[in-house]
Amino acid sequence: MAESFVLGIDVGGTFTDVVGLDRGGRPLMFKVPSRPDDPASAVIQGVEAFAAGVGVPVTSMLADAHLVHGTTMGINTLLTRTGAKTGLLTTSGFRDILEIRVGYKEERYELDLEPPVPLVPRRLRLPIIERLDSDGHVVVPLDEEGVLAACEFMVREGVEAVAICFLWSFLDPSHEMRAAELCRRVLPEAFVTTSWDVLPEIREYNRVSTTVLNAYVGPRVVQYVGELTARLEENGFGGTLHFLQSHGGVAHADEVMRVPVRTLMSGPAAGPAVAGFFAGQAGIENAICIDMGGTSFDASVVTAGEVRQSRPVEIDGVRIGLPMVDVHSVGGGGGSIAWVDTGILRVGPSSAGSVPGPASYSLGGTSPTVTDANMVLGIYSPGPIAGGLSLDGEPAGAVIDGLGSEIGVGRIEAADGVWRVLIIDLAQAIRDITVAEGRDPRDYVLVVGGGSGPVHCCAIADELDIDRILIPKAASTLCALGAIVMDVVYELRRSYPMQLSGGFDVEAIDTAFTQLERDLIGMLQGEGTAGDRTKIDRQVGLRYREEEIHVHRGLELRYREQLWEIMVPMASASIDLDTIDEVIGGFHERPHEIYTYSEPENVCELVSLAVRATVPRQLPEIDWDLGAHDSWVRLGERSVRHRDRFMTTPVLDGRRAPVSVPVEGPALIREELCTVFVEPGWTCTLDPYGAYYLKRR
């Protein structure tokens, strides 16, 4: 029988990362240049590299492999506006919800702000005669002939995807279900989705916007999953393929193809989870996680070991009502292009990516980038790097010279400027999720990921006055590693609006919860095979008993006349008046934690029920091969720019780093796929869990 391997895959803008454990539990990490034109090719290349690393033919390795994949296909489709030609069926009189939005201008002081262009043009937003009232009762039956006529019109228009969202359908989905059935009959090749499948909750704009986005990205995501599956099967794949979801769990590929919008923040969602994993090993509860690769800089907050989620969110002018791991992303990575804007030096958000890449890649890049500036400053040295690429100092110096001539400074000053502008921008991104929300970044440990993060983290921490940093040895492939340690998570929500004061129907709430739980567990069990009360979870290849599925209930509550609700978890699965009182008590504490105020005298309103089913991952025993050395191994030294002067800096071998032996900056620690820059004023120690712990002296 073939040996089973679990591989984490993260497709980034510059590199595609593949991580797995060999037979001895040692992590094997690979980076290959991403292929925006053919992302599946880069995945296959990384999988082949892993198979060679463990000494197994790729066909044998894939025969029983479990692949957990973070993808940027959905978010890239949205940002580049390359999604499917989409049509919308909605209740007559409500076709303009996408343009009315929430009724106010998002940037109210920007007088010439242009509203976002809807993903569906008005001519393809087709009104359908039907109506439910606010109790879910049918007022006007569904006009099936009207649905068929609308579908025929969309056939003539070449529509590739159809979103269906009717008023109050979260109370009774029958009209949406019937309309979808008719659509699939007339447009058998189209991707058809309903708001009942995507977001069966109150607030029509959130619901219609999210459903439309699901339709818009759906065909592209489904196509990618199909192409990747086919390419894997050509190489003998007989295992399972799963994807990271935006809310921080993994799901089977079939579920992803049904609701592809759940993968929108698929890759970045793994960062906070694995950062919390390493922070927890080090006894750290509060962490700021940063993941800086070649294209973007992702920042998130972990408080008391809990990864924050938020909803709704706006991405590029599109409202998404699904819960997502709260990740703040800006364009700032090693490939970010430096440019001059009316005499002012800027860095990003545009990136050179992997092709043509920074000028120092010698692949045709002609724009000055952060990596090129780091070459000039001595932080990087000429020679091979990850992904089979190589750095060359001569073209890097040439493009930095060109940048300097634009702003009237020399090569070193221009590279210094790129570094300083970048650090200020990235520190501000962290302030946006800490200081702006009442959190002091000095109370947190900076947990660092990404190929570029370990080089820039000391400067970022200095800018924010953070005095502790944690850098996992797997920092360069942090999200790919996160894919193999994240739990299986499925989640369902249903709106159930009522006031929790006076008389209310506790039994009705319990009945609704019970139905949600049945649906959720059915989704999980549908992925496995039954036998002896044991299910085989195809998401992670682990056996679990039915009682090992952890089901958690939660209520989304708000104060009367407030716009937004807060999720309050329930400590007990049973519901009675006492448990409702406990939840209300917990709710009064939450606004104070988040907004520093509460209104215990106000009436609480129930908005939605939420049920989350989790199959905890059996965390692998990772062997970082530590403890074989009792002193640092010096590879050489070079002159490195620090602030306003060059300093002789030792280059140390991270692959032979000793445990618990401190080294003082300045120092460069060369890891397999990244470099840790320990700046002057910092001390670095490798901990027993495979992470560098840096402390400001």
Side-chain angles (χ1 to χ4, degrees):
M1 183 177 178
E3 186 171 6
S4 179
F5 291 95
V6 180
L7 275 67
I9 301 166
D10 179 47
V11 178
T14 303
F15 288 105
T16 293
D17 301 338
V18 175
V19 175
L21 305 183
D22 68 11
R23 296 179 181 88
R26 289 180 295 272
L28 297 182
M29 301 171 284
F30 301 92
K31 298 179 82 72
V32 298
S34 291
R35 289 276 307 275
D37 58 326
D38 185 11
S41 291
V43 173
I44 297 298
Q45 187 179 348
V47 169
E48 289 173 341
F50 177 84
V54 294
V56 176
V58 67
T59 52
S60 300
M61 190 272 292
L62 285 175
D64 191 35
H66 304 281
L67 310 184
V68 187
H69 186 358
T71 176
T72 55
M73 181 60 65
I75 188 67
N76 288 345
T77 298
L78 170 61
L79 296 178
T80 58
R81 290 300 194 271
T82 54
K85 189 173 186 178
T86 303
L88 170 65
L89 301 184
T90 191
T91 304
S92 180
F94 293 85
R95 69 190 297 192
D96 293 320
I97 291 172
L98 283 180
E99 293 193 74
I100 296 171
R101 305 193 312 282
V102 288
Y104 63 81
K105 187 167 64 173
E106 286 78 1
E107 300 293 338
R108 62 189 67 189
Y109 299 114
E110 189 173 337
L111 300 181
D112 59 351
L113 179 70
E114 292 290 332
V117 177
L119 297 179
V120 182
R122 196 171 195 271
R123 76 176 190 281
L124 295 180
R125 304 197 299 261
L126 305 177
I128 301 298
I129 295 174
E130 67 84 43
R131 191 63 181 266
L132 304 180
D133 64 17
S134 58
D135 293 320
H137 301 137
V138 176
V139 177
V140 178
L142 176 68
D143 178 10
E144 296 191 5
E145 292 301 320
V147 173
L148 291 171
C151 291
E152 294 290 350
F153 174 77
M154 287 191 284
V155 169
R156 295 192 295 273
E157 288 289 319
V159 165
E160 302 169 276
V162 182
I164 303 172
C165 185
F166 294 147
L167 201 65
W168 299 107
S169 59
F170 62 87
L171 295 173
D172 179 359
S174 57
H175 283 184
E176 284 192 357
M177 296 297 102
R178 178 57 178 161
E181 181 183 342
L182 296 173
C183 275
R184 293 187 178 104
R185 182 189 306 172
V186 180
L187 294 95
E189 302 300 319
F191 181 90
V192 179
T193 186
T194 69
S195 73
W196 176 258
D197 288 325
V198 178
L199 189 69
E201 298 181 40
I202 199 169
R203 292 199 179 93
E204 61 201 76
Y205 173 58
N206 290 0
R207 191 155 45 91
V208 69
S209 178
T210 309
T211 306
V212 163
L213 181 57
N214 192 60
Y216 184 76
V217 304
R220 303 296 180 260
V221 173
V222 169
Q223 180 184 14
Y224 171 65
V225 174
E227 289 176 354
L228 178 59
T229 302
R231 298 284 290 277
L232 290 168
E233 289 175 349
E234 289 172 5
N235 286 275
F237 182 56
T240 52
L241 177 63
H242 304 88
F243 285 83
L244 299 172
Q245 300 181 90
S246 299
H247 62 49
V250 301
H252 189 268
D254 292 344
E255 179 65 13
V256 165
M257 288 192 287
R258 188 178 72 87
V259 190
V261 72
R262 290 180 180 160
T263 68
L264 214 62
M265 296 298 287
S266 171
V274 72
F277 169 73
F278 279 101
Q281 286 185 320
I284 297 167
E285 288 193 335
N286 298 329
I288 296 169
C289 172
I290 64 170
D291 185 358
M292 182 181 178
T295 304
S296 65
F297 177 85
D298 303 324
S300 53
V301 175
V302 178
T303 304
E306 179 181 342
V307 177
R308 290 198 310 165
Q309 291 191 351
S310 61
R311 75 180 194 124
V313 297
E314 298 269 350
I315 298 180
D316 203 31
V318 177
R319 174 70 65 88
I320 304 149
L322 292 167
M324 295 187 177
V325 170
D326 198 352
V327 177
H328 181 43
S329 299
V330 297
S336 292
I337 295 171
W339 54 290
V340 180
D341 178 14
T342 60
I344 299 173
L345 179 62
R346 309 279 192 189
V347 179
S350 297
S351 172
S354 58
V355 179
S360 51
Y361 283 10
S362 297
L363 296 176
T366 58
S367 299
T369 67
V370 171
T371 295
D372 298 319
N374 287 343
M375 289 289 293
V376 170
L377 298 175
I379 299 169
Y380 294 151
S381 63
I385 60 170
L389 301 174
S390 186
L391 294 179
D392 186 345
E394 186 174 339
V399 294
I400 297 299
D401 282 341
L403 178 69
S405 66
E406 288 191 67
I407 54 178
V409 300
R411 175 184 293 187
I412 301 302
E413 290 77 10
D416 255 344
V418 172
W419 174 276
R420 295 189 183 194
V421 169
L422 175 74
I423 296 303
I424 290 170
D425 287 348
L426 301 186
Q428 184 57 47
I430 293 175
R431 289 189 185 100
D432 289 342
I433 61 171
T434 53
V435 177
E437 298 183 8
R439 296 177 176 85
D440 188 340
R442 294 173 297 185
D443 296 334
Y444 292 78
V445 175
L446 193 65
V447 181
V448 180
S452 300
V455 162
H456 301 91
C457 59
C458 286
I460 295 170
D462 283 338
E463 185 72 20
L464 296 166
D465 206 21
I466 294 173
D467 61 8
R468 292 177 296 161
I469 300 174
L470 194 70
I471 308 174
K473 288 178 74 69
S476 182
T477 56
L478 194 69
C479 287
L481 179 64
I484 64 176
V485 302
M486 293 174 70
D487 295 335
V488 179
V489 178
Y490 277 48
E491 188 171 277
L492 288 178
R493 297 176 185 236
R494 296 282 186 271
S495 283
Y496 209 87
M498 68 169 60
Q499 286 194 6
L500 296 182
S501 62
F504 57 89
D505 194 342
V506 177
E507 289 187 5
I509 296 175
D510 189 51
T511 299
F513 262 131
T514 301
Q515 185 58 52
L516 280 176
E517 290 170 0
R518 286 176 183 158
D519 293 344
L520 206 55
I521 293 175
M523 291 166 65
L524 273 170
Q525 294 180 347
E527 296 186 354
T529 57
D532 228 353
R533 286 182 54 79
T534 297
K535 307 295 177 182
I536 300 177
D537 178 13
R538 299 195 302 156
Q539 289 193 321
V540 288
L542 301 175
R543 291 181 176 272
Y544 62 92
R545 296 181 300 277
E546 290 181 9
E547 55 266 29
E548 291 178 331
I549 302 175
H550 299 276
V551 178
H552 307 276
R553 292 180 173 186
L555 299 175
E556 286 193 317
L557 305 178
R558 68 182 179 191
Y559 289 124
R560 184 171 53 189
E561 299 180 354
Q562 281 196 328
L563 290 177
W564 305 114
E565 56 274 4
I566 296 173
M567 173 62 67
V568 182
M570 295 178 58
S572 171
S574 61
I575 287 206
D576 53 32
L577 291 176
D578 290 337
T579 57
I580 292 291
D581 287 340
E582 289 177 9
V583 170
I584 291 174
F587 168 72
H588 289 309
E589 296 175 1
R590 293 288 289 148
H592 192 272
E593 294 172 1
I594 301 172
Y595 307 115
T596 70
Y597 87 97
S598 64
E599 299 177 4
E601 71 284 354
N602 202 342
V603 174
C604 287
E605 294 180 340
L606 170 62
V607 179
S608 297
L609 312 177
V611 176
R612 172 175 281 218
T614 302
V615 180
R617 181 70 58 92
Q618 293 182 3
L619 298 179
E621 292 289 335
I622 302 177
D623 179 8
W624 294 104
D625 194 20
L626 306 177
H629 302 275
D630 55 12
S631 62
W632 290 91
V633 177
R634 192 179 179 117
L635 298 174
E637 63 182 32
R638 62 176 180 264
S639 183
V640 178
R641 182 84 167 176
H642 174 69
R643 304 300 165 96
D644 58 352
R645 63 195 176 103
F646 280 93
M647 302 179 67
T648 300
T649 302
V651 180
L652 308 175
D653 189 352
R655 289 167 293 187
R656 292 182 286 175
V659 175
S660 303
V661 178
V663 60
E664 294 188 358
L668 291 168
I669 303 173
R670 183 179 293 172
E671 272 292 335
E672 183 179 357
L673 297 176
C674 68
T675 296
V676 178
F677 185 14
V678 184
E679 295 202 41
W682 289 83
T683 299
C684 174
T685 307
L686 179 63
D687 73 14
Y689 305 106
Y692 294 106
Y693 183 74
L694 281 68
K695 191 170 183 179
R696 200 203 321 258
R697 293 198 300 273

